[in-house]
Amino acid sequence: MDAARGGGGQGSEDDASQEDTTSVADVSVEVATVDASLHKLCRRYNRRRRRAKKPKKTNPLWNLQNLAILITVVVFVVVVIMWSLLWVFIFRRESNSGVYFAGMFRVANVEFIPEYRHADSSEFLSMANPIQHVITSVYRTSSVSRLYKQTIISDLSNNNKGGVLVHFWMVFVVPHLKTPAVCEECVSAILRDSVFTSLKNRSSVGFLQGLPVDIDSILVNVALRSDYTSTAMGSQCVDKLYAGIPDVSIPLNVFSSWGGLTCHIKLTSAPGSIIRLTVRSLRIEPSDCIYDGLNVYDALLPMRGMILYRFCESVSVPVSLVSTSNVMLLSFSLTQGSKIFRGHFQALLEEECMNLIELPAGPGDAGVITSPFYPNLLPRQCSCTWKFQMSSNALGVALRFQNYILKLKDSQNCEHGWWKVNEIIYCGNYIDHSTVFRISTPNPEVVFRCSSRNADQPFNATYSSYNIGQPCPEGHFLCTTGLCVEKARRCDGMDDCQDESDEIFCSKPPKLCGGSSTLHPLYICNGEVDCSGGKDETNCTQETSCSGVSYRCGDGVCILKKNAKCDGAPDCFDRSDENDCACGNPGVLKRVFDSASPQQRIVGGVNAVEGEWPWQVSLHFSGQLYCGASVLSDGWLISAAHCFSKERLSDPRQWMAHMGMLNQGSAKHVAEIRRIVVHEYYNARIFDYDIALLQLKKAWPISLEQYIQPICLPAPSQTFSEGHRCWVTGWGYRSEQDKVLPTVLQKAEVSILSQSECKRSYGPVSPRMLCAGVPSGEQDACRGDSGGPLSCQAHSGGRWFLTGIVSWGSGCGRPNLPGVYTRVAKFIDWIQRHIDAKGTKL
Ligand code: 4AZ
């Protein structure tokens, strides 16, 4: 009987629970009926209770079951209500986001008074409030009126052009879908278009609802919310300092205890002056300015377009930089830890840079011209003129720069200095060697204008007169870099001109193995037997004078053997040539190198096998394959600068290094990137200095050394002669037209080409470039392979060296258009300097 009743009871409970499910579903759909449904549920529960009570004997278990159901339902309903409220108040709110703009403009015809420096003064408020209303009314009557929230005038500064410079924040609240409506250009255009200027008085000052505003001074930049909250009024982390007297240093010392915040120091100086900031020392964690950094702005608000300089690493040698006007903002982002900034700032009176130079005849340097404010960084805006007066019309002016070159301007803008020499325009560029710019007209006028987006490196040049009819001394050759080198040095296999102009159109040096003439230095101890009996390869460990064709041992002694590094034989007396040689040896996994691979030929390539190229890395940007790289150590990779040159590509957080991988998607290790170091002279137009280092966040696990291993760096003297066979590897496209990237790592064999051959294909290529390919073009690198290795062995079975980095080329796989690679041997000091400074070991 109990059992039968129990079964019936079970049946009715199932029915009830079905009913309950229906009503709960109703509740979740219509939140407003929650109470009614609850009421219904209670009634149903009471009915069931009454029904349950009908049997003469009450079953306590039965009541407990019902109670449990009720509690479950109530909890469920409460959860639904809370979720709905959360959705209404949090998620829906989040779908509207704040968009922040920092802006400034000059209000003319107003006299600045010192009280304006204090944002809480009544004078400030009576000036700022009407301006705030004007801006508000402009945007309230514009196409973005519904999105506009507020304007806050944060600062008023005096201005070198007169009037008052107004610095303000604007906030828009924008549903996600409408974000494009408040783009930087749109918001800026609204303000600009609201200024009415008269063509008649030809002034840039017009009227913004009655306010005299200089239309040329309007600048609006989108800004970060964190910058807004940390600088807008009420922030505890803003300091203001004023330099009223020129040349008086005001100390600036910051000891971070705030950690995790962005703090600002606003500097202003007397009208007519500019500000010089000197950073004496800065101690921060290097992180590409992601965690720690000091941004210096040429404005009073953190405006993206006004960044003067970014200090992303510690500074130990003082650096000074100057502003364009009398305002500057220091924006510190410091994480917890002992972070220290020491420095000072001062007001400088602007001076005209105009120089009259009387140049005497005769050899030797007559003086030095320097960039404005030298040795301070080059400002964003400057102008300087040098007028040379010569003693004879037969004389010209030779300007010898340390690390700078002038080239005729083409259709592009000058990025590192604009020069006008006798009405001809040149662009300046930084380079790692000296150049001589020769002006062959008498009494020339040289005008220089700063044209960099940020503060740039300073430069200097020694000047001398030279004989226009005979620029170089007797017995010398004029290089296209303007340098003069001894004629005997032409075609000697050494780049004496620094641009190889002394080494082009040279016939291959004859192999003078016998007789009295000496054998060309390129053939001596280059690892190849060039003379019968191999006498060119004997006594290679003997000491020689240090030059580009000798190997420098750790103790500074140079030996003749060019490829001494990691060749398995100790050649240096101190054995340093065999130190640090745990590299370039694919090891156990790769037993038979030329083993048959699946036949998938791509730009002449075939599938690689597991462990064959353990230094090969696949670099993924935002989850997509973008470039290749090579492993240099447990903490560093090397790649091409052009992979990271655009702003969005320079954020290390967006990159992942897939290591120890044969098939895409099966990496043995995926590493995060801490920092990207792009070569400071990288030239995006001609791909010169196309090299970058990537520091990993964490060392890759040593347990993976079977799959991941560094490649050896060549010695600066390393030579592989024309025709030497090397391998290029990567997951790049298999042809120019290809739309699908291969899954398996591809390898293709290519031959090193002479620089002359390379120039025959491409015209001028820099000494930092190297060509490799096959005449038919069949084997080549392509898009997606960039940054990856060109791996070479001195001899079969030897260690592999990173001879090149995939850089550029005309298309892919075209006949007589070889791949162009970054010549790694030219960058050994640069690589070592960066890796040593920032710690190879993590
Ligand atoms: C590229 O776009 C690229 N054929 C790389 C290498 C070559 C061409 C293009 C050489 O990344």
Side-chain angles (χ1 to χ4, degrees):
M1 167 85 166
D2 272 1
R5 207 176 55 215
Q10 185 69 51
S12 64
E13 196 175 294
D14 277 353
D15 294 344
S17 77
Q18 255 171 26
E19 271 181 64
D20 286 353
T21 319
T22 324
S23 53
V24 168
D26 288 343
V27 170
S28 68
V29 171
E30 206 177 325
V31 180
T33 63
V34 160
D35 281 347
S37 304
L38 250 181
H39 197 65
K40 239 180 5 190
L41 270 176
C42 285
R43 270 200 321 229
R44 197 171 296 143
Y45 170 68
N46 287 337
R47 247 198 334 264
R48 233 183 285 141
R49 254 175 56 132
R50 277 197 297 276
R51 246 189 279 146
K53 274 186 182 166
K54 260 185 199 155
K56 283 133 227 143
K57 242 170 67 188
T58 318
N59 182 347
L61 193 67
W62 167 236
N63 277 344
L64 263 181
Q65 274 176 345
N66 271 331
L67 195 65
I69 291 170
L70 182 74
I71 290 171
T72 313
V73 169
V74 169
V75 167
F76 187 80
V77 169
V78 168
V79 167
V80 168
I81 294 169
M82 282 178 53
W83 192 89
S84 307
L85 291 174
L86 268 177
W87 187 82
V88 168
F89 288 105
I90 298 182
F91 302 133
R92 257 190 54 156
R93 244 194 213 174
E94 267 202 358
S95 68
N96 278 341
S97 52
V99 181
Y100 302 84
F101 292 91
M104 63 179 178
F105 57 69
R106 184 172 72 92
V107 177
N109 307 343
V110 181
E111 204 177 319
F112 184 88
I113 52 170
E115 286 75 13
Y116 287 163
R117 278 193 208 106
H118 309 288
D120 48 3
S121 70
S122 57
E123 290 83 356
F124 179 95
L125 293 174
S126 59
M127 177 73 182
N129 284 344
I131 300 174
Q132 191 170 320
H133 285 130
V134 166
I135 300 176
T136 297
S137 119
V138 165
Y139 286 96
R140 282 265 152 81
T141 52
S142 73
S143 56
V144 291
S145 59
R146 281 156 60 90
L147 309 174
Y148 173 82
K149 188 158 176 247
Q150 64 172 340
T151 292
I152 295 170
I153 309 292
S154 67
D155 300 271
L156 299 173
S157 68
N158 51 13
N159 190 255
N160 296 356
K161 282 191 181 162
V164 170
L165 201 58
V166 181
H167 310 260
F168 58 91
W169 283 101
M170 273 192 294
V171 184
F172 290 78
V173 177
V174 184
H176 275 316
L177 288 175
K178 290 201 176 166
T179 314
V182 287
C183 68
E184 191 175 277
E185 293 77 32
C186 322
V187 171
S188 178
I190 290 171
L191 199 56
R192 227 177 274 271
D193 292 349
S194 308
V195 179
F196 292 99
T197 47
S198 149
L199 284 177
K200 248 197 283 165
N201 60 15
R202 294 163 96 217
S203 151
S204 60
V205 177
F207 284 93
L208 182 69
Q209 302 200 349
L211 200 66
V213 169
D214 180 351
I215 194 166
D216 288 348
S217 69
I218 296 176
L219 190 67
V220 177
N221 273 182
V222 72
L224 296 175
R225 182 176 190 274
S226 56
D227 279 339
Y228 167 74
T229 48
S230 58
T231 52
M233 281 200 296
S235 164
Q236 298 298 302
C237 223
V238 179
D239 231 335
K240 288 185 179 181
L241 294 166
Y242 177 70
I245 308 165
D247 299 322
V248 174
S249 282
I250 299 173
L252 280 173
N253 293 311
V254 173
F255 304 94
S256 149
S257 56
W258 57 67
L261 269 181
T262 304
C263 286
H264 301 268
I265 303 179
K266 294 180 175 181
L267 309 179
T268 48
S269 64
S273 67
I274 54 173
I275 294 172
R276 176 179 14 224
L277 170 75
T278 300
V279 179
R280 271 194 296 122
S281 78
L282 177 67
R283 206 162 68 207
I284 53 172
E285 286 294 321
S287 67
D288 272 350
C289 278
I290 289 167
Y291 304 110
D292 283 350
L294 162 61
N295 284 346
V296 181
Y297 292 89
D298 210 4
L300 270 190
L301 293 182
M303 302 181 75
R304 206 167 44 90
M306 300 290 273
I307 290 188
L308 201 51
Y309 202 78
R310 304 184 76 208
F311 291 91
C312 301
E313 284 165 22
S314 292
V315 173
S316 46
V317 179
V319 182
S320 295
L321 54 154
V322 291
S323 63
T324 305
S325 69
N326 61 334
V327 293
M328 192 185 262
L329 173 73
L330 313 189
S331 171
F332 292 89
S333 299
L334 301 176
T335 50
Q336 224 120 36
S338 60
K339 313 290 163 61
I340 296 172
F341 167 89
R342 286 179 211 277
H344 58 263
F345 80 105
Q346 63 200 132
L348 294 181
L349 287 179
E350 274 192 279
E351 281 171 24
E352 197 190 10
C353 180
M354 168 67 78
N355 307 275
L356 257 179
I357 299 169
E358 282 188 26
L359 195 49
D365 294 337
V368 184
I369 63 166
T370 62
S371 53
F373 304 103
Y374 187 88
N376 299 175
L377 297 183
L378 201 56
R380 287 170 72 233
Q381 280 178 30
C382 73
S383 175
C384 217
T385 303
W386 298 274
K387 283 183 180 169
F388 291 92
Q389 215 84 61
M390 320 298 290
S391 58
S392 151
N393 277 359
L395 296 177
V397 180
L399 297 175
R400 188 189 179 99
F401 292 93
Q402 286 305 307
N403 63 340
Y404 195 74
I405 188 163
L406 300 196
K407 289 219 166 127
L408 262 181
K409 185 183 179 313
D410 54 19
S411 56
Q412 312 279 320
N413 283 337
C414 297
E415 285 172 14
H416 300 287
W418 178 100
W419 295 76
K420 190 166 79 173
V421 183
N422 294 330
E423 304 306 319
I424 299 171
I425 312 290
Y426 299 84
C427 288
N429 253 315
Y430 296 93
I431 200 154
D432 64 353
H433 58 77
S434 50
T435 63
V436 180
F437 183 75
R438 292 172 191 273
I439 310 166
S440 57
T441 47
N443 304 332
E445 181 179 279
V446 177
V447 180
F448 169 72
R449 295 240 172 93
C450 296
S451 64
S452 324
R453 271 189 293 158
N454 318 113
D456 230 331
Q457 292 306 308
F459 62 78
N460 67 29
T462 54
Y463 56 82
S464 57
S465 61
Y466 76 96
N467 189 340
I468 294 171
Q470 192 195 344
C472 290
E474 200 69 53
H476 281 68
F477 165 81
L478 179 62
C479 307
T480 49
T481 47
L483 301 171
C484 294
V485 301
E486 285 169 48
K487 274 195 177 139
R489 292 185 172 263
R490 208 169 124 49
C491 297
D492 67 351
M494 296 225 258
D495 179 15
D496 303 293
C497 283
Q498 314 275 2
D499 66 347
E500 293 173 338
S501 52
D502 56 326
E503 294 298 318
I504 50 166
F505 308 119
C506 298
S507 50
K508 218 174 166 188
K511 290 183 186 171
L512 304 169
C513 290
S516 55
S517 331
T518 49
L519 184 62
H520 194 283
L522 275 184
Y523 297 124
I524 297 170
C525 298
N526 66 350
E528 287 169 21
V529 175
D530 297 291
C531 296
S532 60
K535 70 173 196 173
D536 56 309
E537 295 297 316
T538 53
N539 290 334
C540 290
T541 55
Q542 82 182 43
E543 200 174 321
T544 185
S545 53
C546 294
S547 74
V549 288
S550 61
Y551 178 83
R552 186 188 284 268
C553 301
D555 55 7
V557 169
C558 289
I559 58 171
L560 284 168
K561 194 174 186 179
K562 295 179 178 60
N563 296 345
K565 191 181 169 192
C566 300
D567 66 348
D571 299 298
C572 293
F573 188 70
D574 64 358
R575 296 176 156 253
S576 55
D577 54 310
E578 295 302 316
N579 290 345
D580 305 321
C581 291
C583 56
N585 186 13
V588 287
L589 271 176
K590 166 67 201 87
R591 283 208 186 82
V592 193
F593 181 72
D594 286 324
S595 60
S597 306
Q599 300 306 301
Q600 194 187 21
R601 292 186 61 82
I602 40 100
V603 197
V606 291
N607 289 351
V609 296
E610 184 97 286
E612 194 176 5
W613 310 101
W615 43 86
Q616 175 79 51
V617 176
S618 178
L619 286 181
H620 291 219
F621 177 76
S622 294
Q624 299 285 314
L625 170 108
Y626 202 87
C627 267
S630 306
V631 179
L632 283 190
S633 69
D634 60 355
W636 288 89
L637 310 180
I638 190 163
S639 186
H642 80 258
C643 296
F644 316 98
S645 63
K646 299 210 178 83
E647 200 181 319
R648 72 186 179 97
L649 297 171
S650 64
D651 183 348
R653 290 169 297 184
Q654 305 296 319
W655 290 91
M656 286 288 183
H658 293 237
M659 305 168 75
M661 184 166 81
L662 179 68
N663 295 307
Q664 280 290 344
S666 66
K668 296 283 184 303
H669 181 68
V670 180
E672 286 181 86
I673 308 297
R674 177 191 298 276
R675 230 154 6 129
I676 302 169
V677 184
V678 169
H679 199 286
E680 55 274 30
Y681 298 154
Y682 169 61
N683 182 330
R685 286 178 45 217
I686 58 166
F687 284 60
D688 204 3
Y689 300 91
D690 193 8
I691 192 165
L693 289 167
L694 285 85
Q695 189 180 22
L696 303 181
K697 262 197 179 165
K698 276 196 257 153
W700 45 269
I702 196 73
S703 57
L704 292 177
E705 66 182 342
Q706 237 182 330
Y707 303 97
I708 305 172
Q709 208 194 97
I711 187 168
C712 300
L713 278 174
S717 61
Q718 192 182 66
T719 57
F720 289 128
S721 47
E722 201 180 329
H724 193 96
R725 305 239 288 245
C726 300
W727 290 81
V728 59
T729 45
W731 289 271
Y733 285 104
R734 289 167 285 192
S735 72
E736 252 179 82
Q737 299 75 31
D738 214 355
K739 299 264 180 302
V740 194
L741 290 162
T743 307
V744 188
L745 177 64
Q746 301 292 299
K747 60 175 184 180
E749 196 176 24
V750 287
S751 299
I752 303 283
L753 268 62
S754 72
Q755 208 67 347
S756 305
E757 186 79 22
C758 190
K759 286 178 181 170
R760 262 196 284 281
S761 298
Y762 288 114
V765 291
S766 90
R768 292 151 296 272
M769 298 171 190
L770 168 147
C771 277
V774 289
S776 65
E778 240 173 83
Q779 276 126 305
D780 196 7
C782 203
R783 221 150 29 94
D785 292 321
S786 278
L790 175 72
S791 311
C792 305
Q793 273 175 314
H795 54 84
S796 175
R799 291 185 186 273
W800 289 90
F801 289 90
L802 183 70
T803 302
I805 295 171
V806 180
S807 179
W808 62 280
S810 182
C812 307
R814 299 186 189 181
N816 299 318
L817 288 170
V820 186
Y821 298 79
T822 308
R823 194 184 281 271
V824 177
K826 289 267 181 192
F827 293 96
I828 303 307
D829 286 348
W830 180 84
I831 295 168
Q832 229 71 62
R833 201 165 59 234
H834 282 86
I835 288 186
D836 291 348
K838 288 151 193 172
T840 317
K841 297 270 173 271
L842 292 164

